[in-house]
Amino acid sequence: MLMIKTVLHFDSVSFRYPKQEKGPLIYDSMKFTVREGEFVSILGPSGAGKSTLFRLITGLEQPTGGKILLNGEYFSNRLGHVGYMPQQDLLMPWRTIWENAALPLQIKGSKQADMRISVEELLKEFGLGGHEDRYPAELSGGMRQRVSFLRTILTGSQVLLLDEPFSALDAITRLSMQEWLLKQWEKRKKTILFITHDVNEALFLSERIFVLTDPPVSRMEDIPVPLDRPRTLKALDIPEIMVLKDRLIDQLRTKATT
Amino acid sequence: MKKWREHTYSFILLVVVLVLWEAIAFNIKMTFILPSPTDILMKLWELKKVLLLEHLPATLCIILIGLGISIILGVGLAISMNSSKIIEKAFYPLIIFSQMIPTIALAPIFILWFGYSIWSKVLVTVLITFFPITINTYDGLRAGSNDLKELLLTMGAKKKDVFLLVNVPSAMPHFFSGLKVAVTLSVIGAAIGEWLGAQAGLGYFSRRMMTQFDGAGVFAPIIVLSAMGIMLFLLVKWVENKTLMWRKSE
Ligand SMILES: Nc1ncnc2c1ncn2[C@@H]1O[C@H](COP(=O)(O)OP(=O)(O)OP(=O)(O)O)[C@@H](O)[C@H]1O
Ligand SMILES: [Mg+2]
């Protein structure tokens, strides 16, 4: 059997925000594993701690207890090891498109001239050719998200964390962005963790769905998506998936109300 | 063209005021108290050499040195306050307090300290221009988005990178706002300084004319002073537009 590498492992991780010392735990000795090349969606009601999970993985927060392993290794400082794409595009309004995309390269100390060529090539590939020297305010929401995604790719990390990247987009743009993201994922062989509120989005994109309950969470429900690739939107209408969809929606709804 | 049309109404108002002024001055016939606009223009023409070649450079020199010191002092202070809570706690209230001091009342003391040299006037200018630069730059440095800073940290950025890549660019528009206010104030500061004691300068010249009951001679250098203030303001605005090209796209 082929050995598949584990890229992310939570080993009994507990967490509460340091400011709320007496507050409730958000995670209570939680365990899960993500393997190389997977596409995992994280689904949960608002306030469940989805963004907190990403803050822990990136190293912006440190666990209160337990360990987080990246590629099987333990780092006390994980900053700079995973690519993180925030919910708002967070492009710098004072930088041009290519300068924004090149940000991680600049932080790692690349030379201006070397960056320009490689970034320009990628921008073309992302359908942003000819926009290199424009400013973010001149681009549409979908284009800005693509720049933000490219910036995440250019961190060079194997693991990409995407926090509701398409939630601000209209339904049509969102669909095309989802298809586009799948293409990029297949092509670049990255591992993606994807936070979303949208059950359809999770089913369409991912191989597994983690469902978060209200805190404190000690175990996320781990639901495999029984669909082959390449997927089409029609595939979401087969009975098996419809049942799964209803189940997920029910689960989210009861959790949001109780 | 559109830009000019925007100012049509203020231009009409200005002409109306000038005509009224001319009419009143004509009827009062006391040029030493109220010279008419045409009197002032004629005086300006008559004195153009002295004003532009002798007194304008003296005042401009005070303004530029004063602004230069204010920028260095203000930006330095803003950066220090941004980087250390203790410095912020120590300086911020005092900087605010310094604005309650009536600088004009203190100015005679500066003359005692520095005599009629340029430095007494520079000090007055610095005292009233460093405030808008410091406060605006400081606010600007703190305006950098927290989310953006955290994003940079996840990319492995160091504290210094975050400062240079987020804080400094976020502070630029604020810095220029402060500088524009400072430029306007600097003209007033230099003029006040010169009133109190100088051997040259537009403010000094205006005051000297006052003692000679030459009304038009009082106004003429003030016109030059205002024109210089406007030029400096436009210059800063031009540099601002060049530096902050991205704001045009917003
Ligand atoms: N910086 C912080 N300091 C203290 N508490 C926080 C902080 N950020 C989030 N929390 C708390 O942690 C809990 C989880 O927040 P989190 O942002 O992870 O939720 P989420 O699942 O991402 O929600 P949403 O879907 O609305 O984005 C919430 O109760 C929130 O109040
Ligand atoms: Mg969130």
Side-chain angles (χ1 to χ4, degrees):
Chain A
M1 225 188 87
L2 201 74
M3 268 293 286
I4 298 178
K5 231 174 90 189
T6 297
V7 287
L8 175 66
H9 180 65
F10 266 47
D11 185 8
S12 306
V13 170
S14 301
F15 180 74
R16 72 157 58 87
Y17 277 99
K19 268 177 276 172
Q20 313 175 320
E21 251 181 65
K22 292 187 192 76
L25 282 172
I26 291 175
Y27 294 111
D28 188 2
S29 52
M30 187 169 69
K31 285 182 192 154
F32 72 87
T33 299
V34 176
R35 291 179 292 273
E36 185 166 25
E38 273 194 301
F39 197 125
V40 176
S41 285
I42 295 156
L43 206 55
S46 196
K50 302 183 296 293
S51 299
T52 306
L53 187 68
F54 278 10
R55 294 181 66 83
L56 279 165
I57 300 171
T58 52
L60 287 172
E61 306 286 350
Q62 289 297 347
T64 321
K67 273 185 180 167
I68 298 171
L69 304 185
L70 292 174
N71 299 314
E73 265 184 274
Y74 170 75
F75 298 97
S76 59
N77 176 13
R78 291 177 300 286
L79 289 170
H81 288 280
V82 287
Y84 168 57
M85 175 175 172
Q87 179 167 349
Q88 319 85 352
D89 54 62
L90 289 187
L91 296 178
M92 297 172 163
W94 55 83
R95 285 182 159 230
T96 59
I97 296 309
W98 90 266
E99 287 171 336
N100 263 292
L103 187 64
L105 301 178
Q106 188 187 353
I107 288 172
K108 295 204 164 83
S110 302
K111 286 261 167 350
Q112 191 86 348
D114 305 343
M115 293 191 294
R116 172 94 202 195
I117 298 164
S118 54
V119 171
E120 221 161 73
E121 205 121 293
L122 280 164
L123 279 170
K124 256 192 215 107
E125 200 184 311
F126 276 40
L128 292 160
H131 298 294
E132 297 85 358
D133 294 316
R134 299 178 78 186
Y135 289 99
E138 300 169 288
L139 264 57
S140 72
M143 290 160 107
R144 281 207 295 272
Q145 286 296 351
R146 270 179 282 171
V147 179
S148 175
F149 184 68
L150 173 54
R151 180 177 62 183
T152 313
I153 297 259
L154 285 173
T155 59
S157 311
Q158 222 297 304
V159 181
L160 307 182
L161 312 176
L162 317 183
D163 192 346
E164 301 195 44
F166 306 144
S167 62
L169 303 178
D170 62 273
I172 307 285
T173 314
R174 199 167 171 168
L175 271 180
S176 61
M177 288 297 290
Q178 288 166 359
E179 282 167 353
W180 177 82
L181 177 64
L182 275 186
K183 267 195 215 109
Q184 290 298 327
W185 169 67
E186 275 154 20
K187 179 167 175 204
R188 296 179 193 281
K189 316 243 174 299
K190 301 277 186 188
T191 310
I192 293 184
L193 270 74
F194 187 98
I195 290 180
T196 178
H197 274 116
D198 183 342
V199 175
N200 279 322
E201 188 170 58
L203 286 168
F204 179 56
L205 292 174
S206 37
E207 340 228 73
R208 288 197 288 157
I209 300 175
F210 290 168
V211 183
L212 270 176
T213 49
D214 283 322
V217 181
S218 53
R219 209 189 121 262
M220 294 191 289
E221 199 171 342
D222 179 353
I223 299 171
V225 179
L227 280 176
D228 293 332
R229 293 192 192 271
R231 290 177 187 173
T232 57
L233 276 174
K234 286 227 176 61
L236 292 183
D237 294 336
I238 64 169
E240 203 184 343
I241 296 295
M242 292 295 270
V243 171
L244 187 53
K245 195 193 296 184
D246 285 343
R247 203 184 108 203
L248 285 169
I249 290 174
D250 276 347
Q251 226 164 352
L252 289 179
R253 193 182 293 143
T254 51
K255 265 154 203 159
T257 50
T258 50
Chain B
M1 266 331 272
K2 198 165 161 241
K3 239 181 162 174
W4 288 108
R5 213 170 301 157
E6 249 173 58
H7 299 304
T8 313
Y9 293 111
S10 42
F11 183 74
I12 293 173
L13 181 64
L14 185 68
V15 170
V16 169
V17 169
L18 285 177
V19 168
L20 272 179
W21 180 354
E22 185 79 38
I24 294 172
F26 182 78
N27 284 314
I28 298 181
K29 289 197 179 63
M30 287 197 286
T31 348
F32 58 94
I33 296 177
L34 188 69
S36 71
T38 37
D39 288 338
I40 298 172
L41 279 183
M42 265 148 55
K43 195 70 169 188
L44 202 56
W45 185 250
E46 189 184 310
L47 293 174
K48 60 181 187 300
K49 257 217 172 108
V50 197
L51 286 179
L52 293 183
L53 296 182
E54 193 181 324
H55 297 291
L56 176 83
T59 307
L60 191 60
C61 196
I62 294 168
I63 288 177
L64 292 183
I65 294 177
L67 276 178
I69 293 177
S70 280
I71 290 174
I72 293 169
L73 196 73
V75 171
L77 213 55
I79 291 175
S80 325
M81 288 198 300
N82 181 64
S83 63
S84 150
K85 254 266 79 63
I86 296 175
I87 296 180
E88 192 235 283
K89 285 223 164 86
F91 277 88
Y92 197 87
L94 292 184
I95 290 171
I96 304 282
F97 178 68
S98 77
Q99 292 310 291
M100 314 295 167
I101 303 172
T103 316
I104 305 170
L106 269 186
I109 298 180
F110 303 154
I111 306 283
L112 282 182
W113 293 349
F114 297 105
Y116 282 5
S117 79
I118 187 172
W119 297 108
S120 52
K121 274 79 78 183
V122 168
L123 189 56
V124 176
T125 310
V126 169
L127 270 182
I128 64 174
T129 55
F130 91 97
F131 181 75
I133 295 180
T134 313
I135 295 298
N136 276 287
T137 310
Y138 177 61
D139 284 347
L141 286 173
R142 299 199 322 163
S145 143
N146 233 357
D147 294 337
L148 195 50
K149 289 181 198 166
E150 286 188 340
L151 178 66
L152 261 71
L153 290 178
T154 70
M155 295 174 182
K158 300 279 164 294
K159 238 184 148 165
K160 181 197 81 188
D161 300 324
V162 174
F163 181 77
L164 290 176
L165 293 171
V166 181
N167 294 81
V168 171
S170 315
M172 286 311 268
H174 298 255
F175 166 76
F176 276 109
S177 301
L179 188 57
K180 279 189 283 189
V181 176
V183 162
T184 336
L185 291 176
S186 71
V187 176
I188 301 171
I192 292 173
E194 287 174 355
W195 269 16
L196 293 163
Q199 286 145 333
L202 293 165
Y204 153 81
F205 188 83
S206 173
R207 193 177 157 89
R208 202 179 77 189
M209 291 299 112
M210 192 112 71
T211 60
Q212 298 173 9
F213 293 101
D214 181 348
V218 172
F219 277 94
I222 291 177
I223 302 273
V224 179
L225 206 56
S226 316
M228 183 176 67
I230 293 169
M231 297 298 252
L232 282 173
F233 183 86
L234 292 178
L235 179 71
V236 172
K237 214 169 144 80
W238 180 78
V239 175
E240 180 187 25
N241 287 343
K242 285 274 153 214
T243 323
L244 307 178
M245 290 281 255
W246 57 272
R247 287 223 290 192
K248 264 200 234 135
S249 66
E250 295 238 297

